Amino acid sequence: MDAFVLLLTLGVLLAVGMPVAYAVGLSALVGAWWIDLPLEALMIQMTNGVNKFSLLAIPFFILAGAIMAEGGIARRLVNFAYVFVGFIRGGLSLVNIVASTFFGAISGSSVADTASIGSVMIPEMDKKGYPRDYAAAVTASGSVQAILIPPSHNSVIYSLAAGGTVSIAALFIAGVLPGLLLGLTLMVMCIAFAHKRSYPKGERVPFKQALKILLDALWGLMTVVIILGGILTGVFTATESASIACLWAFFVTMFIYRDYKWSELPKLMCRTVKTVTIVMILIGFAASFGAVMTWMQLPDRITSFFTGISDNKYVILMCINIMLLLIGTLMDMAPIILILTPVLLPVTNALGIDPVHFGMIMMVNLGIGLITPPVGSVLFVASAVSKQKIEQVVRAMLPFYGALFFVLMLITYIPAISLWLPRLAGVMGE
């Protein structure tokens, strides 16, 4: 009955349109009142939830991504990607995906990826004869890579939701191969579509021009080297890499590329602070919500429920995947991670599934949710950028959902895709 009151309150508040953060906080308050928990205990859990050094990575990565997103890096990455794949039939769709791979490794945000790459690629693809809804579908599905490829904000949130027991560095490195696998799968499908629908070829870029494009893009791509190189060599932690990346992004944007006006910086800082504030409020409220769930022994009950369904971990993983896919269509990614990680992690631990592996499973599931109606934020951004109706974009997305589900199954049932690189790098268990 305790859990029913807590979850019912959350469901009702979300149904009436209350912002997710406040719905979570009020639900925790009602749950605490129901089980006669002192409100002081709830406040302590809330402050403890945001009083963590590792959380500093979130505002720094968000700011670095915002600076690079608005500083001309998207256009340079598109030109860089064109050098490698633009000459293939259907090359612009491949350029879109490869550019998303690079940009995701800088921004860590699917929404920023879709907005930045989409604003460059969708008009260009339309000009070359690609349907706009198809261009929007390629952009949206390609941006899911940003959820996986470091620096992913959501990996930091997952580590926090796991109680700090999962290394952020391990999650960052673990996301590299799944992200590349996702991009490669989408590229294979785009090539098949290009031959079937006779999409145009591009022209090869002359060597001198290609070298110039490479040098121009190299400054932005160095952000990736700084983040991953610093972590792997042990020069700095994942959290410290965020601040270094932020300083580098500022230097490159304002002093190398110089496409961004100094007068626009205060507005960018204001938008970043608003975003960070929303995230931190959500994290604080989610910490109190998670504590109430623990006091109600909800994680233990959920574990018993899943293990009661079957003793086969592959069957249980499929059940968890289906649940995450459904919930991902109804809520945004961060609150789901914060609410469900403490609930599902005991289940997967009981099955002997590595928490880093489960983190990747959760990221892919919820990444698909970002491009699925009715609440897919990335889907709405793609629709707005392409000036196409949601229904048209969703119709064009249908084959891409199949490709993403295929990748999800590979990542779910082949743990080595997620765990091989972190083990090789020696960052597991940090």
Side-chain angles (χ1 to χ4, degrees):
M1 185 62 182
D2 297 342
F4 176 76
V5 170
L6 180 70
L7 299 177
L8 178 65
T9 305
L10 178 62
V12 170
L13 292 175
L14 290 174
V16 299
M18 180 174 286
V20 174
Y22 299 120
V24 170
L26 280 175
S27 301
L29 191 63
V30 171
W33 168 77
W34 182 262
I35 61 175
D36 295 323
L37 182 72
L39 294 184
E40 292 84 354
L42 205 62
M43 296 302 107
I44 290 171
Q45 292 295 327
M46 192 181 302
T47 53
N48 286 343
V50 294
N51 189 26
K52 288 181 169 57
F53 178 76
S54 59
L55 281 179
L56 286 173
I58 294 177
F60 282 125
F61 276 136
I62 289 175
L63 180 57
I67 292 172
M68 298 298 273
E70 300 188 22
I73 184 65
R75 175 172 50 80
R76 289 172 172 86
L77 290 178
V78 166
N79 293 338
F80 182 63
Y82 191 92
V83 170
F84 295 100
V85 294
F87 59 89
I88 301 170
R89 182 169 296 282
L92 283 185
S93 56
L94 306 184
V95 169
N96 194 324
I97 294 167
V98 173
S100 286
T101 306
F102 292 135
F103 193 82
I106 292 172
S107 72
S109 166
S110 289
V111 172
D113 192 321
T114 300
S116 300
I117 299 298
S119 63
V120 176
M121 286 305 306
I122 292 175
E124 185 65 22
M125 290 177 72
D126 178 51
K127 191 187 302 180
K128 298 295 183 181
Y130 295 80
R132 287 188 77 92
D133 55 356
Y134 174 77
V138 172
T139 305
S141 56
S143 72
V144 176
Q145 294 173 94
I147 300 297
L148 299 165
I149 295 174
S152 168
H153 314 150
N154 294 288
S155 291
V156 179
I157 294 174
Y158 173 79
S159 175
L160 169 74
T165 58
V166 186
S167 164
I168 296 175
L171 290 168
F172 276 8
I173 304 302
V176 173
L177 286 184
L180 294 177
L181 174 64
L182 191 152
L184 183 62
T185 303
L186 293 175
M187 289 175 69
V188 170
M189 192 173 70
C190 285
I191 290 173
F193 278 140
H195 285 277
K196 183 178 179 181
R197 300 173 182 177
S198 299
Y199 289 146
K201 280 185 178 182
E203 296 181 359
R204 289 185 181 273
V205 179
F207 178 76
K208 285 187 178 180
Q209 188 180 347
L211 190 60
K212 183 180 178 182
I213 290 170
L214 170 63
L215 294 174
D216 195 30
L218 199 58
W219 293 100
L221 291 171
M222 277 297 295
T223 311
V224 185
V225 177
I226 289 171
I227 294 168
L228 288 181
I231 294 171
L232 289 174
T233 57
V235 175
F236 39 69
T237 66
T239 304
E240 291 164 348
S241 74
S243 58
I244 303 297
C246 192
L247 290 173
W248 178 257
F250 177 80
F251 171 74
V252 170
T253 299
M254 305 309 296
F255 295 101
I256 303 296
Y257 291 156
R258 291 180 292 182
D259 287 348
Y260 200 70
K261 297 178 182 177
W262 285 87
S263 59
E264 295 292 322
L265 270 180
K267 294 179 182 178
L268 183 144
M269 294 293 291
C270 183
R271 289 195 297 272
T272 301
V273 169
K274 285 181 179 178
T275 302
V276 172
T277 302
I278 293 168
V279 172
M280 290 303 177
I281 289 173
L282 176 59
I283 288 172
F285 285 153
S288 61
F289 187 89
V292 172
M293 285 196 300
T294 301
W295 284 317
M296 290 179 173
Q297 298 182 324
L298 188 57
D300 294 336
R301 297 179 190 177
I302 297 292
T303 302
S304 300
F305 170 75
F306 276 109
T307 53
I309 293 175
S310 172
D311 57 359
N312 187 318
K313 73 176 182 179
Y314 301 111
V315 173
I316 296 176
L317 276 174
M318 180 57 74
C319 293
I320 291 175
N321 275 327
I322 293 170
M323 183 184 74
L324 288 173
L325 285 171
L326 291 174
I327 295 174
T329 65
L330 302 174
M331 286 178 65
D332 206 3
M333 190 168 187
I336 297 176
I337 293 173
L338 289 165
I339 293 169
L340 289 186
T341 299
V343 174
L344 295 177
L345 209 52
V347 179
T348 56
N349 286 340
L351 296 171
I353 296 165
D354 191 284
V356 173
H357 177 210
F358 179 65
M360 294 302 105
I361 294 172
M362 180 174 266
M363 296 297 164
V364 179
N365 271 295
L366 302 184
I368 295 172
L370 290 177
I371 57 174
T372 308
V375 189
S377 54
V378 172
L379 183 64
F380 284 102
V381 172
S383 173
V385 173
S386 64
K387 299 177 183 176
Q388 297 289 292
K389 293 180 179 179
I390 289 287
E391 296 84 355
Q392 292 174 288
V393 179
V394 170
R395 196 177 302 117
M397 282 289 306
L398 292 177
F400 293 91
Y401 290 134
L404 291 170
F405 185 76
F406 171 73
V407 172
L408 172 61
M409 291 298 100
L410 291 178
I411 292 170
T412 299
Y413 294 117
I414 307 177
I417 295 174
S418 302
L419 301 179
W420 177 74
L421 206 53
R423 286 171 178 162
L424 185 67
V427 294
M428 293 291 286
E430 289 185 359

